[in-house]
Amino acid sequence: MSTLYITHPAGLDHQTPLGHPERPDRIRAIERAIEKERFTLLRRDQAPMAEMESLALAHPEDYIVRLRDISPREGLVRIDEDTVMSPGTYEAALRGAGGAVMAVDEVMSGRAANAFVAMRPPGHHAERVRAMGFCFFNNAAVAARHAQKRFGAERVAIFDWDVHHGNGTQDIFWDDASVLYCSTHEAPLYPGTGALSETGEHGTIVNAPLNAGDGSEAFREAVDSVILPRMDAFAPDLIIISAGFDAHWRDPLASLNLTESDFAWATQKLMGLADKRCGQRIVSLLEGGYDLEGLSKSVSFHLDALMGRETGA
Ligand SMILES: [Zn+2]
């Protein structure tokens, strides 16, 4: 079975101000990387726009309608200091969530072994009723709830290895015992959440903060000793990765020192768990990653691992 790669040109139409790290070139760098011959076996598809019904699994309808209504016809609308809407933003965000839904459909129905959605804007900072941190719709939350509603998945586990804590995903699943949210992230760092003590109403939030300067060893230790045992014990029916690559040593927004091999290693670990617990089902969604070389290499290693190849991890 194949690995599915989902994207859409609309991801390039979400414009941010000059100098903003979350920029269209991120997608272009990934596209260039997967033109290489070793990725010809990737099955590719285009992300559809998410239906209101899907978005409403993670956000109230009036929040969704308000975002649509404030979308500018020209120029930029500022939501907060670093979250901006351009004329193409709403469709890009819809296709980010729609790509996540499609990935779940393909993986849960067994048509793809696993899937990676390369879209922007990212999603994990988007709370139920608040866009922030470059994010508008929480794609991972939409994907998890869609798997539950459409396919009857009882338990979904999310591993968010973006260098920033996924406050939005934590917010949405804070009191939901059916979704395990696990995060490694640098602390202190934006958005300031993600302390060890934040465990949710049912103990299904697992935060493993790392210190600035930490690298492979600390990351692998946190994954091996904290994240994986919790995910294993949870026995998920689907694993979702909030795959941000800004913990890479080259990234300008943070100070962890992971390499592309660490992302391949973590991917392989999750694949081992998915093999044991949930028929190999993994849906991976692009979050951050702002150094173009660090991002494209990391995505290549992540995809190699998803395709079942040795990566030297
Ligand atoms: Zn990030």
Side-chain angles (χ1 to χ4, degrees):
M1 245 191 328
S2 54
T3 293
L4 176 61
Y5 175 88
I6 300 171
T7 189
H8 193 281
L12 301 172
D13 295 336
H14 164 48
Q15 301 293 335
T16 49
L18 197 65
H20 196 290
E22 206 293 280
R23 59 207 191 277
D25 279 350
R26 299 178 61 230
I27 300 292
R28 293 192 185 101
I30 294 171
E31 293 284 317
R32 269 197 303 280
I34 66 154
E35 278 166 16
K36 297 201 177 98
E37 198 182 337
R38 73 180 202 267
F39 293 121
T40 48
L41 284 175
L42 270 181
R43 203 184 112 206
R44 301 173 196 223
D45 216 329
Q46 295 219 320
M49 285 191 264
E51 306 284 343
M52 175 65 88
E53 189 188 346
S54 302
L55 298 171
L57 295 170
H59 304 281
E61 274 193 36
D62 57 353
Y63 167 83
I64 302 160
V65 169
R66 193 173 67 86
L67 272 185
R68 187 193 65 200
D69 289 349
I70 61 174
S71 294
R73 297 220 172 157
E74 56 185 44
L76 300 175
V77 169
R78 211 169 264 278
I79 308 289
D80 69 20
E81 202 171 310
D82 40 36
T83 312
V84 171
M85 292 188 90
S86 73
T89 300
Y90 190 70
E91 181 179 337
L94 283 181
R95 290 190 188 276
V101 168
M102 174 191 244
V104 168
D105 286 342
E106 293 298 299
V107 169
M108 291 301 290
S109 64
R111 288 191 294 270
N114 48 45
F116 177 68
V117 183
M119 281 297 285
R120 58 180 287 277
H124 74 149
H125 293 306
E127 300 183 343
R128 275 186 80 251
V129 293
R130 182 160 65 147
M132 61 178 275
F134 318 161
C135 302
F136 300 90
F137 297 129
N138 195 305
N139 305 320
V142 169
R145 289 251 164 90
H146 178 72
Q148 294 183 314
K149 189 169 173 227
R150 173 85 193 276
F151 296 95
E154 289 178 16
R155 290 173 307 282
V156 179
I158 301 172
F159 179 17
D160 182 338
W161 67 47
D162 189 281
V163 80
H164 302 97
H165 180 243
N167 61 293
T169 317
Q170 173 169 299
D171 170 66
I172 291 165
F173 296 119
W174 183 259
D175 59 356
D176 184 343
S178 70
V179 175
L180 182 75
Y181 175 71
C182 303
S183 174
T184 51
H185 48 274
E186 181 181 329
L189 189 70
Y190 182 90
T193 48
L196 272 175
S197 58
E198 295 166 23
T199 56
E201 295 285 327
H202 309 282
T204 45
I205 306 282
V206 181
N207 286 309
L210 301 169
N211 298 310
D214 278 350
S216 302
E217 202 180 327
F219 173 71
R220 294 187 187 205
E221 167 69 17
V223 173
D224 264 338
S225 68
V226 181
I227 308 279
L228 291 173
R230 289 297 306 273
M231 290 180 78
D232 189 20
F234 191 69
D237 300 306
L238 170 68
I239 293 173
I240 295 174
I241 306 174
S242 260
F245 298 99
D246 40 10
H248 191 276
W249 65 272
R250 293 183 58 95
D251 201 273
L253 264 57
S255 307
L256 292 189
N257 290 308
L258 301 195
T259 67
E260 47 275 18
S261 293
D262 293 316
F263 296 116
W265 173 85
T267 308
Q268 288 167 343
K269 286 281 181 176
L270 291 178
M271 289 175 72
L273 186 60
D275 195 30
K276 176 181 168 194
R277 287 294 191 190
C278 54
Q280 306 183 342
R281 293 186 287 272
I282 294 182
V283 164
S284 177
L285 310 172
L286 179 66
E287 301 281 2
Y290 304 101
D291 175 81
L292 299 183
E293 186 182 329
L295 173 65
S296 57
K297 278 189 178 159
S298 298
V299 169
S300 297
F301 274 56
H302 179 48
L303 286 170
D304 268 334
L306 286 175
M307 294 168 82
R309 291 176 179 152
E310 290 297 325
T311 57

